[in-house]
Amino acid sequence: MFKKKRVLNHRVILWMAVCLSSMLCVTMFVPMLLVKKIPNGDAAAPVQVATDGSLQETITAQGLMIPVYLTKKAMVETVPLEQYVKGVLAAEMPVEFELEALKAQAMAARTYVVRRVIEKDYSNMPVNDALVTDTTAHQAYLTEQELKEKWDKRSYEANMAKIDRAVNETKDMILTYEHKPINATFFSTSNGYTENSEDYWPFESPYLRSVPSPWDVKLSSRYQETVEITYKNMLQKLGVTSIATTGTNAKAMKVLEWSAGHRIKKMTIGGKTFSGREVREKLGLASSQFDWKWSGSKVAITTYGFGHGVGMSQWGANGMAKEGKTAEQIVTYYYTGISIEKAAPFIQKS
């Protein structure tokens, strides 16, 4: 009887040990499944800002994180907003430019990407898990490694110190119109004027208005260039059957309308009507302000300015900075009626 009782007690103790062990495993293992691991260096778990398929922009202790698709490597690199702006600034504007011009570019670059986050704009993306590419389809961007390869060690340190200063002195600043981030478009070189948005793109923006930009002609090496195109290539690229190279008949090249920014808005070539933008893009021209001269079976086309012409001229910004204008004065000149605000409240609300 005593022996049976001891065996029974032993079985009860063993059963209780198994139960306690199982409960301990559950309490330890289940939370591991339920709680998302906090990345190293983050003081708190990421907060979801926007989702589109597999894409999630997040806010960490480092701030808003920007997933960038690196086209050459076919991979996504996620970096803090201010680091992203540094990579854009280094890629989009010559580091030799004046500090105030670099600061103006930094604000435009930051505004561009913050606007995409807030509006959940994932357009022109080849993948679902990034917000922007590193190309001019969005904004050119160079990684830290690419910048080290671009510059020697001494130049890298000096150049990055200048870029860091431009970004740090404009930290969290974005450009707004009626308390909304603007479409902060920019380009290299004007023809002496910027362009109204609706004269190049199919939309009108109250802050993308044509303004004089006289600095470009004196400073930019891209202000004027001439290219030669054969008659045969002209026909192929424009999709016309013939072009009159002399005279003024219906098949000749003729400007029908000029834009407020002194660029070609509408013209006829070979009896077909084109917008200036169409001709520029079909022929691969630097600008939609151009003139031409036929010589035998070739045409020499001379362009003025470089880029679409809408928004801030980078060389114009540098010219203004050389005259002592501040970054704030530069952006409020090229973007009509805008304000400068902090990005953080916009990001947190989204």
Side-chain angles (χ1 to χ4, degrees):
M1 181 78 176
F2 179 72
K3 187 176 181 179
K4 284 184 179 180
K5 190 172 182 181
R6 277 202 322 179
V7 171
L8 183 61
N9 287 343
H10 178 73
R11 287 178 179 175
V12 170
I13 291 169
L14 182 63
W15 178 80
M16 290 177 66
V18 170
C19 289
L20 287 170
S21 177
S22 298
M23 289 176 65
L24 183 61
C25 288
V26 169
T27 57
M28 291 178 65
F29 184 67
V30 170
M32 290 174 65
L33 293 175
L34 296 177
V35 178
K36 186 176 181 180
K37 186 177 180 181
I38 299 173
N40 291 335
D42 287 343
V47 178
Q48 184 173 308
V49 176
T51 303
D52 181 38
S54 60
L55 175 62
Q56 290 187 337
E57 292 104 32
T58 57
I59 299 174
T60 72
Q62 295 175 290
L64 177 67
M65 305 298 288
I66 306 297
V68 186
Y69 181 68
L70 307 179
T71 52
K72 291 179 182 177
K73 295 182 178 180
M75 62 175 285
V76 176
E77 176 183 76
T78 301
V79 295
L81 171 63
E82 298 303 321
Q83 184 179 330
Y84 169 74
V85 175
K86 291 176 185 179
V88 173
L89 185 55
E92 286 281 9
M93 181 174 272
V95 72
E96 298 80 15
F97 274 20
E98 299 291 319
L99 179 65
E100 293 302 310
L102 290 166
K103 288 165 66 174
Q105 179 69 62
M107 286 190 279
R110 187 181 296 106
T111 303
Y112 177 89
V113 75
V114 167
R115 179 176 179 268
R116 282 180 72 86
V117 169
I118 291 170
E119 296 190 358
K120 299 177 175 56
D121 180 1
Y122 312 118
S123 59
N124 299 323
M125 288 302 302
V127 295
N128 292 326
D129 54 350
L131 178 68
V132 288
T133 65
D134 59 354
T135 72
T136 53
H138 300 100
Q139 297 186 117
Y141 168 83
L142 292 171
T143 65
E144 185 177 355
Q145 183 59 41
E146 287 172 326
L147 290 174
K148 287 180 178 178
E149 293 170 1
K150 178 181 179 180
W151 299 315
D152 59 47
K153 185 177 180 181
R154 186 175 179 181
S155 297
Y156 172 82
E157 291 174 355
N159 292 343
M160 285 309 298
K162 189 175 182 181
I163 288 170
D164 286 347
R165 183 180 173 188
V167 174
N168 292 340
E169 289 186 8
T170 62
K171 185 178 180 180
D172 202 40
M173 294 182 187
I174 61 170
L175 314 176
T176 65
Y177 184 85
E178 294 184 346
H179 203 56
K180 293 179 182 178
I182 70 168
N183 185 9
T185 60
F186 54 87
F187 62 99
S188 169
T189 305
S190 83
N191 63 340
Y193 300 85
T194 66
E195 193 79 292
N196 286 336
S197 58
E198 68 274 16
D199 287 339
Y200 194 82
W201 291 314
F203 64 85
E204 181 177 344
S205 290
Y207 49 83
L208 296 176
R209 301 292 87 201
S210 178
V211 296
S213 187
W215 306 276
D216 309 62
V217 63
K218 301 173 186 177
L219 298 175
S220 178
S221 60
R222 305 304 301 269
Y223 173 74
Q224 181 178 324
E225 66 180 52
T226 300
V227 295
E228 281 193 343
I229 304 175
T230 66
Y231 180 82
K232 183 178 179 181
N233 278 343
M234 284 281 285
L235 297 181
Q236 290 175 341
K237 291 179 177 181
L238 296 174
V240 296
T241 55
S242 65
I243 303 171
T245 59
T246 59
T248 57
N249 66 40
K251 292 282 187 177
M253 295 176 65
K254 182 181 179 182
V255 177
L256 300 178
E257 186 178 354
W258 292 91
S259 70
H262 298 229
R263 293 168 179 81
I264 296 172
K265 188 173 182 179
K266 189 184 297 184
M267 69 180 299
T268 59
I269 305 175
K272 189 175 179 179
T273 301
F274 299 90
S275 68
R277 175 186 177 180
E278 286 175 323
V279 177
R280 179 200 170 210
E281 294 178 352
K282 287 177 182 293
L283 299 183
L285 303 178
S287 168
S288 54
Q289 186 196 342
F290 53 87
D291 52 39
W292 61 90
K293 184 177 181 180
W294 284 97
S295 178
S297 62
K298 292 183 179 179
V299 61
I301 300 179
T302 300
T303 54
Y304 304 91
F306 189 85
H308 51 66
V310 184
M312 184 179 72
S313 163
Q314 293 174 316
W315 279 93
N318 199 43
M320 290 184 71
K322 283 180 178 294
E323 292 182 355
K325 299 296 191 294
T326 66
E328 290 77 10
Q329 289 173 315
I330 293 169
V331 294
T332 52
Y333 177 77
Y334 280 109
Y335 302 110
T336 305
I338 66 157
S339 301
I340 300 173
E341 299 185 62
K342 293 287 188 180
F346 292 91
I347 296 167
Q348 290 164 1
K349 276 198 305 184
S350 66

